[in-house]
């Protein structure tokens, strides 16, 4: 039977690569993001190979999230797979120099956004006594690094929520899983450095970083295990990276 996946942050990076791979595997798609032009372009491209609908909303805005999800066409309402992927780092500063707007953005988007979307979709999974939630955490949610403070805290929260969801949803037969990538070359650093593309590029120089497609491939592997198998927590680094702070840039 055709499955339906709901992907937040589908307009770029990991979310986009996941949408493309799911489309090739004939998974019906609900693609979300704030950038309308990108959503339209994705819908045009991917609807050639699978059924696609798009929702434009900001995950940090509670009313927008709920209105958008309620507006889904009938044939897309039954979500089998939720990929909680939307998120970013905003800034890279010590705690004493941190920008409070950046802190708000990271906590509102990475933590509260994930909660708002999950809250809107979980009831229908409970009613079906089935479903799969994949939370995209980060190695920053396993180990803090200098200047990472609030971004790390937001991803530690994702790690905690992932574990909590698995406990609370256990009796409803819902699979819950987190994937925690290390350095992946996407628009992530462009956003972290507020459009300073040159600075962003330096993050991925001198080694082979993970690509969005690598993470999409892992997500697809996780969701295609038999239903009794739940890969609950998966950490993935590029080979050159051994921890948050140990990176071999001389490969
Ligand atoms: P990108 O910047 O390429 O993609 C981020 C996506 O999130 C975009 O589609 C963006 O869409 C969406 N998004 C951001 N803010 C909001 C918002 N307020 N409301 C709705 N959508 C939003 O980065 P990645 O693909 O790398 O990031 C995806 C996830 O992976 C994030 O949770 C990130 O923390 C995590 N991650 C990334 C790593 C990396 O090194 N790149 C490593 C570990 C984890 P739009 O702007 O259109 O709204
Ligand atoms: C993104 C990876 O190391 O920039 O979550 O925090 S890192």
């Amino acid at each position: 039977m055709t499955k339906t996946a709901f992907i937040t942050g589908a307009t770029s990076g990991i979310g986009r690569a996941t949408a493309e791979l799911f489309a090739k595997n004939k998974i019906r798609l609900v693609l979300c993001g704030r950038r309308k032009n990108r959503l339209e372009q994705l819908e045009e491209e991917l609807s050639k190979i699978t059924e696609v609908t798009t929702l434009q909303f900001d995950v940090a805005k509670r009313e927008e999230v709920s209105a958008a999800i309620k507006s889904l066409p009938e044939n897309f309402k039954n979500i089998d797979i939720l990929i909680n992927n939307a998120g970013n780092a905003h800034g890279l500063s010590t705690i004493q120099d941190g920008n409070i707007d950046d802190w708000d953005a990271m906590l509102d988007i990475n933590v509260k956004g994930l909660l708002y979307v999950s809250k809107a979709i979980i009831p229908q999974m409970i009613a079906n006594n089935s479903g799969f939630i994949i939370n995209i955490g980060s190695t920053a949610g396993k180990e803090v690094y200098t200047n990472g403070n609030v971004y790390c805290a937001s991803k530690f929260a994702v790690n905690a929520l992932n574990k909590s969801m698995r406990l609370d949803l256990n009796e409803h037969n819902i699979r819950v899983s987190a994937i925690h990538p290390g350095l992946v070359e996407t628009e992530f650093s462009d956003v972290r450095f507020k459009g300073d593309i040159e600075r962003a590029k330096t993050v991925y120089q001198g080694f082979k970083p993970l690509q969005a497609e690598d993470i999409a491939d892992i997500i697809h592997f996780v969701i295609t295990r038999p239903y009794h198998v739940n890969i609950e927590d998966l950490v993935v680094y590029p080979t050159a990276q051994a921890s948050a702070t140990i990176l071999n840039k001389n490969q």
Side-chain angles (χ1 to χ4, degrees):
M1 207 181 66
T2 309
K3 299 273 185 217
T4 302
F6 187 107
I7 305 177
T8 67
T11 54
S12 169
I14 294 169
R16 184 188 171 105
T18 304
E20 287 169 348
L21 185 59
F22 280 15
K24 283 185 196 141
N25 286 280
K26 305 291 173 210
I27 296 172
R28 192 188 283 124
L29 294 171
V30 181
L31 302 179
C32 312
R34 292 165 302 178
R35 284 170 286 183
K36 195 163 194 291
N37 57 338
R38 292 212 185 177
L39 288 171
E40 285 170 353
Q41 185 200 351
L42 264 177
E43 181 165 5
E44 195 190 322
E45 253 172 59
L46 300 185
S47 59
K48 291 176 188 143
I49 47 181
T50 190
E51 284 178 76
V52 181
T53 193
T54 59
L55 291 178
Q56 185 200 10
F57 66 90
D58 182 335
V59 294
K61 297 194 173 140
R62 201 202 294 197
E63 285 76 23
E64 273 189 30
V65 173
S66 127
I69 294 174
K70 278 194 191 124
S71 78
L72 274 173
E74 221 36 63
N75 54 331
F76 286 94
K77 274 195 192 306
N78 202 38
I79 309 298
D80 301 288
I81 303 154
L82 165 61
I83 312 288
N84 273 324
N85 164 72
N88 277 115
H90 294 264
L92 182 70
S93 304
T94 59
I95 202 83
Q96 56 275 29
D97 291 333
N99 174 313
I100 295 179
D101 290 335
D102 285 344
W103 294 355
D104 284 345
M106 289 185 276
L107 296 172
D108 287 350
I109 299 167
N110 302 356
V111 184
K112 288 159 77 179
L114 179 147
L115 284 169
Y116 297 155
V117 172
S118 304
K119 178 81 175 158
I121 291 178
I122 284 170
Q124 164 248 301
M125 289 185 172
I126 289 178
N128 289 343
N129 198 42
S130 109
F132 203 155
I133 301 174
I134 301 224
N135 295 307
I136 304 301
S138 167
T139 50
K142 299 284 189 181
E143 184 193 356
V144 293
Y145 54 86
T146 311
N147 297 327
N149 45 67
V150 178
Y151 178 66
C152 294
S154 76
K155 291 299 182 175
F156 269 72
V158 172
N159 192 33
L161 288 169
N162 181 65
K163 290 172 198 262
S164 303
M165 280 184 188
R166 197 164 41 251
L167 300 184
D168 296 346
L169 298 174
N170 172 267
E171 64 180 307
H172 298 292
N173 197 34
I174 296 171
R175 293 196 283 183
V176 181
S177 177
I179 293 163
H180 304 276
L183 290 159
V184 191
E185 189 173 19
T186 61
E187 292 176 16
F188 178 86
S189 292
D190 302 350
V191 175
R192 168 169 255 172
F193 300 128
K194 303 176 195 304
D196 184 342
I197 310 281
E198 289 314 309
R199 188 175 176 198
K201 272 192 206 151
T202 63
V203 175
Y204 309 108
Q205 274 164 1
F207 74 108
K208 173 79 181 152
L210 292 166
Q211 301 298 303
E213 291 72 20
D214 299 322
I215 308 304
D217 190 36
I218 290 167
I219 295 172
H220 187 252
F221 176 81
V222 170
I223 62 140
T224 50
R225 295 312 86 207
Y227 203 84
H228 66 284
V229 178
N230 184 37
I231 297 173
E232 64 160 51
D233 208 51
L234 196 153
V235 177
V236 49
Y237 277 119
T239 302
Q241 189 180 10
S243 76
T245 50
I246 297 177
L247 180 62
N248 178 359
K249 282 218 174 200
N250 303 305
Q251 283 185 309

